Amino acid sequence: MDAQQFLGEFGHIANAPEGVARLRTLIIHFAVVGKLVAGDPNRTIKAAELVLVNAEIERNKLITTGQARRTHPFPPLPDSDQIKYPRHWATTRLGGVVHLVSGQHLGPQEQNATGIGIPYFTGASDFGLIHPIVTRWTEERRAVAAHGDILIAVKGTIGKINFLNLEEAALGRQLMAIRALIVDPKFVALILRDKETYFVSRSIGIAIPGIS
C-alpha cells in the first residue's frame, strides 16, 4: 500500500478490527520512508550525506577513546534501495548512524534494592510508557547506557523500546542500548518500531539474542 492508497482507504482501515493499531503501524512506516509529505525538488542529497560523514566522525571518536570497537566495513547497499526514498535522502545501514551497547547479566549478589550505585535494568519488565522505572541498582559497570540512549528489548518482549532519561544505567543481557550518532534519536526510534516484527522473526532460535 502506498501513501495515496492509504489516504483513500483511511476510513475503511480505521473502522476495521484492530484498525487503529494498523493505522499506527502504517503511519510509522510511511514516516520512516519519507512518504508522509510531498518531496521538495529544491532539496539536494548533500545535506543528508553530510550527516553520514559526521556520524562516522563521531564513531571514530568512540573508537579512539575505547568506547567502541573497530568493525569490518558494512556490506554495500543495493542501488535499488535509494529509489525507495525521497531523492534528497541518503541511504545507510543502521550501524552507520548508531553505536550499540550490549547488556550483560549480573548475578543477584551484584545488584541491590537500596539505591547503591547506578540504576540497573534487566529487561522490558522495567519499561514504562516512555522511560524505564528504577527498582534495582548496581555498582558494576560492565554495560552502561547514557542519557538519551534508546533501550531495546532483545529477549522476552522483543522490539519494545524506551528512552533513558537518567544520566546512566547498567543493562542486563535482555537489553541493548542504541545511541544515535548525529541523527535524531526519535527518528531512529521510529525505524525500530517499524522493524519490530522483523526483529521478532530474526530472534527465533537464538539462545542469546542481540542486534548485529
Side-chain angles (χ1 to χ4, degrees), residues 126-147:
D126 294 319
F127 284 3
L129 185 62
I130 300 175
H131 306 297
I133 300 168
V134 184
T135 59
R136 281 168 284 193
W137 291 260
T138 182
E139 295 183 273
E140 298 292 331
R141 303 182 61 85
R142 297 178 198 163
V144 178
H147 182 274

Side-chain angles (χ1 to χ4, degrees), residues 62 67 97-101 144-146 148-150 177-181:
L62 292 173
Q67 298 177 65
V97 291
V98 303
H99 169 57
L100 295 175
V101 178
V144 178
D149 284 356
I150 302 166
I178 299 178
R179 187 167 305 156
L181 305 176

Side-chain angles (χ1 to χ4, degrees), residues 3-84:
Q4 196 63 38
Q5 183 182 1
F6 167 72
L7 291 174
E9 299 183 11
F10 185 93
H12 297 294
I13 298 172
N15 293 322
E18 302 295 327
V20 174
R22 183 151 186 252
L23 283 175
R24 185 182 296 113
T25 299
L26 287 171
I27 289 170
I28 289 174
H29 174 70
F30 287 135
V32 166
V33 297
K35 292 183 178 179
L36 282 185
V37 295
D40 183 351
N42 297 317
R43 300 186 69 178
T44 69
I45 198 173
K46 291 182 180 179
E49 290 176 336
L50 181 60
V51 170
L52 301 187
V53 170
N54 288 332
E56 185 63 23
I57 291 173
E58 291 301 310
R59 174 181 302 285
N60 287 333
K61 288 180 181 177
L62 292 173
I63 293 172
T64 300
T65 58
Q67 298 177 65
R69 294 181 297 177
R70 191 172 299 280
T71 59
H72 296 294
F74 298 115
L77 286 164
D79 292 338
S80 58
D81 278 357
Q82 183 65 55
I83 64 174
K84 299 177 184 177

Side-chain angles (χ1 to χ4, degrees), residues 74-172:
F74 298 115
L77 286 164
D79 292 338
S80 58
D81 278 357
Q82 183 65 55
I83 64 174
K84 299 177 184 177
Y85 305 96
R87 293 174 59 185
H88 60 278
W89 285 30
T91 53
T92 182
R93 296 189 183 277
L94 179 63
V97 291
V98 303
H99 169 57
L100 295 175
V101 178
S102 298
Q104 295 188 31
H105 176 70
L106 298 180
Q109 71 282 2
E110 297 174 304
Q111 49 186 292
N112 67 84
T114 55
I116 300 175
I118 61 175
Y120 173 55
F121 302 120
T122 61
S125 59
D126 294 319
F127 284 3
L129 185 62
I130 300 175
H131 306 297
I133 300 168
V134 184
T135 59
R136 281 168 284 193
W137 291 260
T138 182
E139 295 183 273
E140 298 292 331
R141 303 182 61 85
R142 297 178 198 163
V144 178
H147 182 274
D149 284 356
I150 302 166
L151 307 183
I152 183 168
V154 294
K155 190 174 182 181
T157 312
I158 295 169
K160 186 174 182 180
I161 65 173
N162 259 196
F163 282 93
L164 184 62
N165 59 336
L166 306 169
E167 182 177 350
E168 57 183 1
L171 304 180

